Amino acid sequence: MENKLSNKKVAILVADGFEEVEFTKPLEALKNAGAEVDVVSLHDGEVKAWAEKDWGNSYPVTLTVSDANAKDYDALVLPGGVMNPDHLRENQEAVNFVSGFFDDSKPIAAICHGPWTLIETGELKGRRVTSYPSLKTDLVNAGANWVDEEVVVDNGLVTSRNPLAGKWWKRLEKVFTPEQACKKESGQYRRDSSLLLPTFYYFWKEPALIY
């Protein structure tokens, strides 16, 4: 595979109990595309996955969220799993880290239960999103426009109902181009063709950031 991301750095933010496949697939694909990927978590050492019905493997943590800065990254991935976002949204440092990507208009991909953490940033008002169905009420109460669709793209924010069903990996999803780039201004997002922001594409084996 062409190293399209050889000079890009992506953060995957997880806490214990993240859904394993929602972590391993993006991690593998991003690395295969040449990206530098940091696994950011609430504690150092290792973070433990949940594999559908039981605990899965443990994975090394690159750095803790207290040492991480959104300005050091080009994009953020938020895997799901029920326990994982519940831990993250209760941690103010994790919420601040995610907020930094919104502040700088950087791409965020949130899978399944992943959007739960986004609620705490206060940045979902008016944004079009999807998620695992049980999150609908919480997201609507946060001001989001929740839709029952496979994958939703809204100004650099990609949300998925489910990582496997709905062709999350097989379907080509264009998040935004420079002509559709968004810039946060006075609490709103406006189009700004001067911003050379990334474009996210998702495949079964190849999510890529195209610049």
Side-chain angles (χ1 to χ4, degrees):
M1 181 189 300
E2 182 182 351
N3 288 333
K4 299 174 180 177
L5 306 184
S6 58
N7 61 340
K8 304 305 174 187
K9 191 173 183 180
V10 180
I12 301 181
L13 177 62
V14 288
D16 290 318
F18 61 91
E19 190 62 44
E20 192 160 21
V21 69
E22 298 174 22
F23 168 82
T24 55
K25 287 293 185 180
L27 177 64
E28 177 185 9
L30 289 166
K31 285 187 173 181
N32 286 344
E36 179 182 354
V37 183
D38 280 352
V39 178
V40 181
S41 192
L42 305 182
H43 56 77
D44 57 12
E46 294 185 331
V47 61
K48 195 169 185 63
W50 184 261
E52 296 187 5
K53 297 181 180 180
D54 202 352
W55 289 103
N57 296 310
S58 294
Y59 297 87
V61 173
T62 309
L63 76 169
T64 63
V65 72
S66 60
D67 294 326
N69 190 323
K71 294 188 180 300
D72 296 331
Y73 298 94
D74 297 293
L76 172 67
V77 176
L78 293 170
V82 178
M83 290 177 279
N84 166 50
D86 202 32
H87 293 317
L88 294 176
R89 68 191 184 124
E90 292 180 343
N91 184 287
Q92 192 57 52
E93 290 180 321
V95 173
N96 291 344
F97 181 64
V98 176
S99 295
F101 288 85
F102 281 109
D103 291 341
D104 294 338
S105 299
K106 293 179 178 179
I108 299 173
I111 308 168
C112 204
H113 286 80
W116 221 354
T117 304
L118 301 178
I119 292 173
E120 303 303 319
T121 67
E123 298 284 357
L124 292 186
K125 186 175 182 180
R127 305 300 293 270
R128 192 167 180 269
V129 302
T130 192
S131 68
Y132 194 77
S134 64
L135 273 64
K136 175 182 177 179
T137 299
D138 288 347
L139 290 165
V140 169
N141 287 341
N145 176 19
W146 188 92
V147 293
D148 186 14
E149 296 182 11
E150 298 168 349
V151 179
V152 172
V153 177
D154 186 304
N155 285 338
L157 174 62
V158 183
T159 50
S160 170
R161 187 171 58 195
N162 186 297
L164 301 179
K167 302 179 181 178
W168 165 241
W169 298 104
K170 293 181 181 179
R171 178 179 169 187
L172 175 66
E173 285 297 331
K174 185 176 183 180
V175 176
F176 61 95
T177 64
E179 291 74 22
Q180 297 173 317
C182 61
K183 182 177 181 181
K184 188 176 180 186
E185 187 174 90
S186 300
Q188 300 296 321
Y189 286 82
R190 64 177 177 84
R191 293 181 185 274
D192 187 343
S193 61
S194 68
L195 297 177
L196 299 179
L197 297 179
T199 300
F200 253 66
Y201 290 89
Y202 276 86
F203 296 88
W204 171 245
K205 292 184 178 180
E206 182 188 350
L209 292 166
I210 311 299
Y211 285 77

